[in-house]
Amino acid sequence: QVQLVESGGGLVQPGGSLSLSCVASGSIISIGVMGWYRQVPGKQRELVAAITRDGVTNYADSVKGRFTISRDNAKKAMYLQMNSLKPDDTAVYYCNGQIRRYDSIRHVEYWGQGTQVIVSS
């Protein structure tokens, strides 16, 4: 069984910083693209940032210059450094990964359980 577990959410004041982590575990042979998504009640889940296995990144326009995505392939981990946070960044943040298990020939999409980020004074 494969699991993605996020950590690092919490409450922060506008202008502050938070760092999120996501660690994959289970019978994993490889991980392809990984990404951070976020969702607020009543809205669709949206892509925040994504990163390929080789480190090529992609960011939503709303977070460019403020957020930095990274990953450590050896640790099966992904990170999101969030700076200059705004109230509009308040959401549940989800980790996503395209993961191939040892008993599979394909990469399959997995999601973490989500971690809440609240930006408020």
Short mmCIF file of all heavy atoms in Angstrom, two decimals, residues 20-77:
data_model
loop_
_atom_site.label_atom_id
_atom_site.label_comp_id
_atom_site.label_asym_id
_atom_site.label_seq_id
_atom_site.Cartn_x
_atom_site.Cartn_y
_atom_site.Cartn_z
N LEU A 20 5.80 23.16 4.07
CA LEU A 20 5.07 21.90 4.04
C LEU A 20 5.98 20.77 3.56
O LEU A 20 6.88 20.99 2.73
CB LEU A 20 3.87 22.00 3.10
CG LEU A 20 2.86 23.11 3.35
CD1 LEU A 20 1.70 23.00 2.35
CD2 LEU A 20 2.34 23.07 4.77
N SER A 21 5.71 19.59 4.09
CA SER A 21 6.45 18.40 3.67
C SER A 21 5.47 17.31 3.28
O SER A 21 4.36 17.24 3.82
CB SER A 21 7.35 17.90 4.80
OG SER A 21 8.30 18.86 5.15
N CYS A 22 5.91 16.46 2.38
CA CYS A 22 5.11 15.30 1.97
C CYS A 22 6.07 14.14 1.79
O CYS A 22 7.07 14.25 1.08
CB CYS A 22 4.39 15.59 0.66
SG CYS A 22 3.58 14.15 -0.08
N VAL A 23 5.77 13.04 2.47
CA VAL A 23 6.62 11.86 2.37
C VAL A 23 5.79 10.68 1.88
O VAL A 23 4.70 10.43 2.40
CB VAL A 23 7.26 11.53 3.73
CG1 VAL A 23 8.11 10.27 3.61
CG2 VAL A 23 8.11 12.69 4.21
N ALA A 24 6.33 9.98 0.90
CA ALA A 24 5.67 8.80 0.36
C ALA A 24 6.24 7.56 1.01
O ALA A 24 7.44 7.47 1.28
CB ALA A 24 5.87 8.73 -1.14
N SER A 25 5.38 6.59 1.26
CA SER A 25 5.83 5.33 1.84
C SER A 25 5.07 4.17 1.20
O SER A 25 4.00 4.36 0.61
CB SER A 25 5.62 5.32 3.35
OG SER A 25 4.24 5.42 3.67
N GLY A 26 5.64 2.98 1.33
CA GLY A 26 5.00 1.81 0.76
C GLY A 26 5.92 1.12 -0.23
O GLY A 26 7.10 1.43 -0.34
N SER A 27 5.34 0.19 -0.99
CA SER A 27 6.12 -0.59 -1.95
C SER A 27 6.26 0.19 -3.25
O SER A 27 5.62 -0.10 -4.26
CB SER A 27 5.43 -1.93 -2.21
OG SER A 27 5.31 -2.67 -1.01
N ILE A 28 7.14 1.18 -3.22
CA ILE A 28 7.29 2.13 -4.33
C ILE A 28 8.55 1.83 -5.11
O ILE A 28 9.63 1.72 -4.55
CB ILE A 28 7.36 3.57 -3.78
CG1 ILE A 28 6.04 3.93 -3.08
CG2 ILE A 28 7.65 4.56 -4.91
CD1 ILE A 28 6.09 5.22 -2.29
N ILE A 29 8.39 1.74 -6.42
CA ILE A 29 9.56 1.53 -7.28
C ILE A 29 10.02 2.84 -7.91
O ILE A 29 11.19 3.04 -8.16
CB ILE A 29 9.29 0.46 -8.35
CG1 ILE A 29 10.59 0.04 -9.05
CG2 ILE A 29 8.27 0.92 -9.37
CD1 ILE A 29 10.46 -1.18 -9.93
N SER A 30 9.09 3.74 -8.18
CA SER A 30 9.48 5.04 -8.70
C SER A 30 8.34 6.04 -8.51
O SER A 30 7.18 5.68 -8.42
CB SER A 30 9.86 4.98 -10.18
OG SER A 30 8.73 4.81 -10.99
N ILE A 31 8.75 7.32 -8.45
CA ILE A 31 7.79 8.42 -8.35
C ILE A 31 8.04 9.39 -9.48
O ILE A 31 9.16 9.86 -9.65
CB ILE A 31 7.90 9.14 -7.00
CG1 ILE A 31 7.71 8.16 -5.85
CG2 ILE A 31 6.85 10.25 -6.91
CD1 ILE A 31 7.88 8.78 -4.46
N GLY A 32 7.02 9.69 -10.24
CA GLY A 32 7.14 10.64 -11.34
C GLY A 32 6.87 12.05 -10.85
O GLY A 32 7.41 12.49 -9.85
N VAL A 33 6.00 12.73 -11.58
CA VAL A 33 5.67 14.11 -11.20
C VAL A 33 4.98 14.12 -9.83
O VAL A 33 4.13 13.29 -9.53
CB VAL A 33 4.75 14.76 -12.24
CG1 VAL A 33 4.30 16.14 -11.79
CG2 VAL A 33 5.46 14.84 -13.59
N MET A 34 5.38 15.09 -9.01
CA MET A 34 4.72 15.33 -7.74
C MET A 34 4.22 16.77 -7.73
O MET A 34 4.77 17.64 -8.42
CB MET A 34 5.67 15.10 -6.57
CG MET A 34 6.22 13.70 -6.49
SD MET A 34 7.23 13.43 -5.01
CE MET A 34 5.94 13.23 -3.76
N GLY A 35 3.19 17.00 -6.96
CA GLY A 35 2.65 18.35 -6.94
C GLY A 35 1.93 18.68 -5.66
O GLY A 35 1.54 17.80 -4.89
N TRP A 36 1.77 19.95 -5.42
CA TRP A 36 0.96 20.48 -4.31
C TRP A 36 -0.29 21.11 -4.91
O TRP A 36 -0.20 21.90 -5.86
CB TRP A 36 1.72 21.51 -3.51
CG TRP A 36 2.83 20.96 -2.68
CD1 TRP A 36 4.16 20.93 -2.98
CD2 TRP A 36 2.71 20.33 -1.41
NE1 TRP A 36 4.86 20.33 -1.97
CE2 TRP A 36 3.99 19.95 -0.99
CE3 TRP A 36 1.62 20.04 -0.56
CZ2 TRP A 36 4.22 19.31 0.24
CZ3 TRP A 36 1.85 19.41 0.64
CH2 TRP A 36 3.13 19.05 1.03
N TYR A 37 -1.42 20.76 -4.35
CA TYR A 37 -2.70 21.34 -4.72
C TYR A 37 -3.32 21.95 -3.48
O TYR A 37 -2.94 21.62 -2.37
CB TYR A 37 -3.64 20.27 -5.28
CG TYR A 37 -3.26 19.74 -6.64
CD1 TYR A 37 -2.16 18.90 -6.79
CD2 TYR A 37 -3.99 20.08 -7.77
CE1 TYR A 37 -1.80 18.42 -8.04
CE2 TYR A 37 -3.65 19.59 -9.03
CZ TYR A 37 -2.56 18.76 -9.15
OH TYR A 37 -2.21 18.29 -10.39
N ARG A 38 -4.29 22.83 -3.68
CA ARG A 38 -5.00 23.38 -2.55
C ARG A 38 -6.48 23.54 -2.89
O ARG A 38 -6.85 23.66 -4.06
CB ARG A 38 -4.41 24.72 -2.11
CG ARG A 38 -4.53 25.86 -3.12
CD ARG A 38 -3.76 27.08 -2.62
NE ARG A 38 -3.89 28.20 -3.55
CZ ARG A 38 -3.19 29.33 -3.43
NH1 ARG A 38 -2.32 29.48 -2.43
NH2 ARG A 38 -3.37 30.30 -4.29
N GLN A 39 -7.27 23.54 -1.83
CA GLN A 39 -8.71 23.62 -2.02
C GLN A 39 -9.35 24.37 -0.87
O GLN A 39 -8.99 24.16 0.30
CB GLN A 39 -9.32 22.22 -2.12
CG GLN A 39 -10.78 22.20 -2.52
CD GLN A 39 -11.28 20.80 -2.82
OE1 GLN A 39 -10.72 19.81 -2.33
NE2 GLN A 39 -12.32 20.70 -3.64
N VAL A 40 -10.27 25.26 -1.22
CA VAL A 40 -11.09 25.94 -0.22
C VAL A 40 -12.53 25.47 -0.40
O VAL A 40 -12.91 25.06 -1.49
CB VAL A 40 -11.00 27.47 -0.34
CG1 VAL A 40 -9.57 27.94 -0.10
CG2 VAL A 40 -11.47 27.94 -1.70
N PRO A 41 -13.32 25.54 0.65
CA PRO A 41 -14.70 25.06 0.55
C PRO A 41 -15.46 25.75 -0.59
O PRO A 41 -15.38 26.96 -0.75
CB PRO A 41 -15.30 25.42 1.91
CG PRO A 41 -14.13 25.41 2.83
CD PRO A 41 -12.99 25.95 2.02
N GLY A 42 -16.15 24.96 -1.39
CA GLY A 42 -16.96 25.50 -2.47
C GLY A 42 -16.22 25.75 -3.76
O GLY A 42 -16.83 26.19 -4.75
N LYS A 43 -14.92 25.48 -3.76
CA LYS A 43 -14.13 25.70 -4.97
C LYS A 43 -13.42 24.42 -5.38
O LYS A 43 -13.21 23.51 -4.58
CB LYS A 43 -13.10 26.82 -4.74
CG LYS A 43 -13.71 28.19 -4.60
CD LYS A 43 -12.63 29.26 -4.63
CE LYS A 43 -13.22 30.66 -4.58
NZ LYS A 43 -12.17 31.71 -4.65
N GLN A 44 -13.02 24.39 -6.65
CA GLN A 44 -12.30 23.23 -7.15
C GLN A 44 -10.88 23.22 -6.60
O GLN A 44 -10.30 24.27 -6.31
CB GLN A 44 -12.25 23.26 -8.67
CG GLN A 44 -13.55 22.83 -9.34
CD GLN A 44 -13.36 22.62 -10.84
OE1 GLN A 44 -12.57 23.30 -11.49
NE2 GLN A 44 -14.09 21.68 -11.40
N ARG A 45 -10.35 22.01 -6.48
CA ARG A 45 -8.95 21.88 -6.09
C ARG A 45 -8.10 22.45 -7.22
O ARG A 45 -8.33 22.19 -8.40
CB ARG A 45 -8.63 20.41 -5.86
CG ARG A 45 -7.33 20.14 -5.16
CD ARG A 45 -7.21 18.68 -4.79
NE ARG A 45 -8.21 18.29 -3.79
CZ ARG A 45 -8.22 17.09 -3.20
NH1 ARG A 45 -7.30 16.18 -3.52
NH2 ARG A 45 -9.17 16.80 -2.33
N GLU A 46 -7.08 23.23 -6.85
CA GLU A 46 -6.24 23.87 -7.86
C GLU A 46 -4.77 23.52 -7.65
O GLU A 46 -4.32 23.34 -6.52
CB GLU A 46 -6.41 25.39 -7.83
CG GLU A 46 -5.95 26.06 -6.55
CD GLU A 46 -6.00 27.58 -6.63
OE1 GLU A 46 -6.46 28.13 -7.64
OE2 GLU A 46 -5.55 28.22 -5.66
N LEU A 47 -4.05 23.48 -8.76
CA LEU A 47 -2.63 23.22 -8.71
C LEU A 47 -1.89 24.44 -8.16
O LEU A 47 -2.11 25.56 -8.63
CB LEU A 47 -2.10 22.88 -10.10
CG LEU A 47 -0.59 22.70 -10.21
CD1 LEU A 47 -0.13 21.45 -9.46
CD2 LEU A 47 -0.16 22.61 -11.67
N VAL A 48 -1.02 24.20 -7.20
CA VAL A 48 -0.17 25.26 -6.66
C VAL A 48 1.20 25.21 -7.32
O VAL A 48 1.70 26.21 -7.82
CB VAL A 48 -0.03 25.11 -5.14
CG1 VAL A 48 0.94 26.14 -4.59
CG2 VAL A 48 -1.38 25.22 -4.45
N ALA A 49 1.79 24.02 -7.32
CA ALA A 49 3.12 23.85 -7.91
C ALA A 49 3.34 22.37 -8.18
O ALA A 49 2.79 21.52 -7.48
CB ALA A 49 4.20 24.39 -6.98
N ALA A 50 4.17 22.10 -9.18
CA ALA A 50 4.50 20.72 -9.52
C ALA A 50 5.98 20.62 -9.84
O ALA A 50 6.62 21.62 -10.22
CB ALA A 50 3.67 20.24 -10.71
N ILE A 51 6.52 19.41 -9.70
CA ILE A 51 7.94 19.20 -9.94
C ILE A 51 8.15 17.81 -10.52
O ILE A 51 7.58 16.83 -10.03
CB ILE A 51 8.75 19.41 -8.65
CG1 ILE A 51 10.24 19.31 -8.91
CG2 ILE A 51 8.31 18.45 -7.54
CD1 ILE A 51 11.10 19.80 -7.74
N THR A 52 8.95 17.73 -11.57
CA THR A 52 9.26 16.44 -12.15
C THR A 52 10.37 15.76 -11.35
O THR A 52 11.01 16.38 -10.49
CB THR A 52 9.72 16.58 -13.61
OG1 THR A 52 11.01 17.22 -13.63
CG2 THR A 52 8.74 17.40 -14.42
N ARG A 53 10.63 14.52 -11.70
CA ARG A 53 11.69 13.79 -11.02
C ARG A 53 13.06 14.46 -11.24
O ARG A 53 13.93 14.42 -10.38
CB ARG A 53 11.73 12.34 -11.52
CG ARG A 53 12.75 11.47 -10.82
CD ARG A 53 12.65 10.02 -11.24
NE ARG A 53 13.68 9.23 -10.58
CZ ARG A 53 13.59 8.77 -9.34
NH1 ARG A 53 12.50 9.01 -8.62
NH2 ARG A 53 14.56 8.07 -8.81
N ASP A 54 13.19 15.11 -12.38
CA ASP A 54 14.45 15.78 -12.70
C ASP A 54 14.53 17.21 -12.16
O ASP A 54 15.51 17.90 -12.40
CB ASP A 54 14.65 15.82 -14.22
CG ASP A 54 14.80 14.45 -14.81
OD1 ASP A 54 15.32 13.56 -14.10
OD2 ASP A 54 14.40 14.24 -15.97
N GLY A 55 13.46 17.65 -11.49
CA GLY A 55 13.51 18.96 -10.84
C GLY A 55 12.93 20.10 -11.66
O GLY A 55 13.08 21.27 -11.26
N VAL A 56 12.28 19.80 -12.75
CA VAL A 56 11.63 20.87 -13.51
C VAL A 56 10.34 21.26 -12.79
O VAL A 56 9.54 20.41 -12.42
CB VAL A 56 11.30 20.39 -14.94
CG1 VAL A 56 10.56 21.49 -15.70
CG2 VAL A 56 12.57 20.01 -15.67
N THR A 57 10.18 22.55 -12.58
CA THR A 57 9.06 23.04 -11.76
C THR A 57 8.05 23.85 -12.57
O THR A 57 8.36 24.40 -13.62
CB THR A 57 9.58 23.91 -10.61
OG1 THR A 57 10.30 25.01 -11.16
CG2 THR A 57 10.49 23.11 -9.70
N ASN A 58 6.87 23.92 -12.00
CA ASN A 58 5.78 24.70 -12.60
C ASN A 58 4.96 25.27 -11.45
O ASN A 58 4.67 24.57 -10.48
CB ASN A 58 4.89 23.79 -13.47
CG ASN A 58 3.75 24.55 -14.12
OD1 ASN A 58 3.94 25.66 -14.61
ND2 ASN A 58 2.56 23.97 -14.09
N TYR A 59 4.59 26.57 -11.56
CA TYR A 59 3.88 27.23 -10.48
C TYR A 59 2.62 27.91 -10.99
O TYR A 59 2.57 28.41 -12.13
CB TYR A 59 4.75 28.32 -9.84
CG TYR A 59 5.97 27.81 -9.12
CD1 TYR A 59 7.19 27.71 -9.77
CD2 TYR A 59 5.90 27.43 -7.78
CE1 TYR A 59 8.31 27.23 -9.11
CE2 TYR A 59 7.02 26.96 -7.11
CZ TYR A 59 8.22 26.86 -7.78
OH TYR A 59 9.33 26.40 -7.12
N ALA A 60 1.61 27.95 -10.14
CA ALA A 60 0.46 28.78 -10.43
C ALA A 60 0.89 30.24 -10.40
O ALA A 60 1.77 30.62 -9.61
CB ALA A 60 -0.64 28.54 -9.39
N ASP A 61 0.29 31.06 -11.24
CA ASP A 61 0.66 32.47 -11.30
C ASP A 61 0.52 33.15 -9.94
O ASP A 61 1.31 34.04 -9.59
CB ASP A 61 -0.20 33.20 -12.34
CG ASP A 61 0.16 32.85 -13.76
OD1 ASP A 61 1.27 32.30 -13.98
OD2 ASP A 61 -0.66 33.09 -14.65
N SER A 62 -0.45 32.73 -9.17
CA SER A 62 -0.74 33.38 -7.90
C SER A 62 0.34 33.17 -6.85
O SER A 62 0.38 33.89 -5.85
CB SER A 62 -2.08 32.88 -7.36
OG SER A 62 -2.06 31.48 -7.16
N VAL A 63 1.21 32.18 -7.04
CA VAL A 63 2.23 31.90 -6.04
C VAL A 63 3.66 32.10 -6.56
O VAL A 63 4.62 31.95 -5.80
CB VAL A 63 2.08 30.46 -5.48
CG1 VAL A 63 0.67 30.23 -4.97
CG2 VAL A 63 2.49 29.42 -6.50
N LYS A 64 3.80 32.42 -7.83
CA LYS A 64 5.14 32.61 -8.40
C LYS A 64 5.90 33.70 -7.65
O LYS A 64 5.36 34.77 -7.36
CB LYS A 64 5.03 32.99 -9.88
CG LYS A 64 4.76 31.83 -10.80
CD LYS A 64 4.68 32.27 -12.26
CE LYS A 64 4.37 31.09 -13.16
NZ LYS A 64 4.20 31.51 -14.58
N GLY A 65 7.15 33.39 -7.33
CA GLY A 65 7.98 34.34 -6.62
C GLY A 65 7.81 34.28 -5.11
O GLY A 65 8.60 34.89 -4.38
N ARG A 66 6.80 33.57 -4.63
CA ARG A 66 6.57 33.46 -3.18
C ARG A 66 6.76 32.04 -2.68
O ARG A 66 7.21 31.83 -1.55
CB ARG A 66 5.16 33.93 -2.84
CG ARG A 66 4.87 35.37 -3.23
CD ARG A 66 3.52 35.83 -2.67
NE ARG A 66 2.40 35.08 -3.22
CZ ARG A 66 1.54 34.38 -2.46
NH1 ARG A 66 1.69 34.36 -1.13
NH2 ARG A 66 0.54 33.72 -3.03
N PHE A 67 6.38 31.07 -3.48
CA PHE A 67 6.46 29.66 -3.09
C PHE A 67 7.59 28.97 -3.85
O PHE A 67 7.86 29.29 -5.02
CB PHE A 67 5.16 28.93 -3.40
CG PHE A 67 3.98 29.32 -2.55
CD1 PHE A 67 4.01 30.43 -1.72
CD2 PHE A 67 2.82 28.57 -2.60
CE1 PHE A 67 2.92 30.79 -0.95
CE2 PHE A 67 1.71 28.91 -1.84
CZ PHE A 67 1.77 30.03 -1.02
N THR A 68 8.22 28.00 -3.20
CA THR A 68 9.26 27.20 -3.84
C THR A 68 9.00 25.72 -3.57
O THR A 68 8.90 25.31 -2.41
CB THR A 68 10.64 27.58 -3.32
OG1 THR A 68 10.89 28.97 -3.55
CG2 THR A 68 11.71 26.76 -4.04
N ILE A 69 8.90 24.96 -4.65
CA ILE A 69 8.70 23.52 -4.52
C ILE A 69 10.04 22.82 -4.73
O ILE A 69 10.87 23.26 -5.53
CB ILE A 69 7.66 23.01 -5.54
CG1 ILE A 69 7.30 21.55 -5.28
CG2 ILE A 69 8.15 23.21 -6.97
CD1 ILE A 69 6.12 21.05 -6.13
N SER A 70 10.26 21.75 -3.98
CA SER A 70 11.48 20.96 -4.13
C SER A 70 11.18 19.51 -3.75
O SER A 70 10.11 19.22 -3.21
CB SER A 70 12.60 21.52 -3.25
OG SER A 70 12.22 21.49 -1.89
N ARG A 71 12.12 18.64 -4.06
CA ARG A 71 11.92 17.23 -3.70
C ARG A 71 13.26 16.56 -3.46
O ARG A 71 14.29 17.02 -3.95
CB ARG A 71 11.14 16.48 -4.78
CG ARG A 71 11.83 16.37 -6.13
CD ARG A 71 10.89 15.82 -7.19
NE ARG A 71 10.71 14.37 -7.10
CZ ARG A 71 9.89 13.67 -7.88
NH1 ARG A 71 9.13 14.30 -8.77
NH2 ARG A 71 9.81 12.35 -7.75
N ASP A 72 13.19 15.49 -2.70
CA ASP A 72 14.36 14.67 -2.42
C ASP A 72 13.98 13.25 -2.84
O ASP A 72 13.24 12.56 -2.13
CB ASP A 72 14.70 14.73 -0.93
CG ASP A 72 15.98 13.98 -0.59
OD1 ASP A 72 16.28 12.97 -1.26
OD2 ASP A 72 16.65 14.39 0.37
N ASN A 73 14.46 12.83 -4.00
CA ASN A 73 14.05 11.53 -4.54
C ASN A 73 14.48 10.38 -3.64
O ASN A 73 13.76 9.39 -3.49
CB ASN A 73 14.61 11.34 -5.95
CG ASN A 73 14.00 12.29 -6.96
OD1 ASN A 73 12.84 12.67 -6.84
ND2 ASN A 73 14.79 12.69 -7.94
N ALA A 74 15.64 10.49 -3.04
CA ALA A 74 16.13 9.42 -2.18
C ALA A 74 15.24 9.22 -0.95
O ALA A 74 15.06 8.10 -0.47
CB ALA A 74 17.56 9.71 -1.74
N LYS A 75 14.68 10.31 -0.47
CA LYS A 75 13.81 10.25 0.72
C LYS A 75 12.34 10.10 0.34
O LYS A 75 11.48 10.03 1.21
CB LYS A 75 13.99 11.51 1.57
CG LYS A 75 15.36 11.65 2.18
CD LYS A 75 15.45 12.89 3.05
CE LYS A 75 16.84 12.98 3.69
NZ LYS A 75 16.96 14.20 4.54
N LYS A 76 12.05 10.09 -0.97
CA LYS A 76 10.66 10.02 -1.45
C LYS A 76 9.85 11.16 -0.83
O LYS A 76 8.72 10.96 -0.36
CB LYS A 76 10.03 8.66 -1.13
CG LYS A 76 10.72 7.47 -1.78
CD LYS A 76 9.96 6.19 -1.50
CE LYS A 76 10.62 4.98 -2.10
NZ LYS A 76 11.92 4.70 -1.50
N ALA A 77 10.44 12.33 -0.83
CA ALA A 77 9.82 13.47 -0.16
C ALA A 77 9.72 14.67 -1.09
O ALA A 77 10.49 14.82 -2.04
CB ALA A 77 10.63 13.86 1.07
#
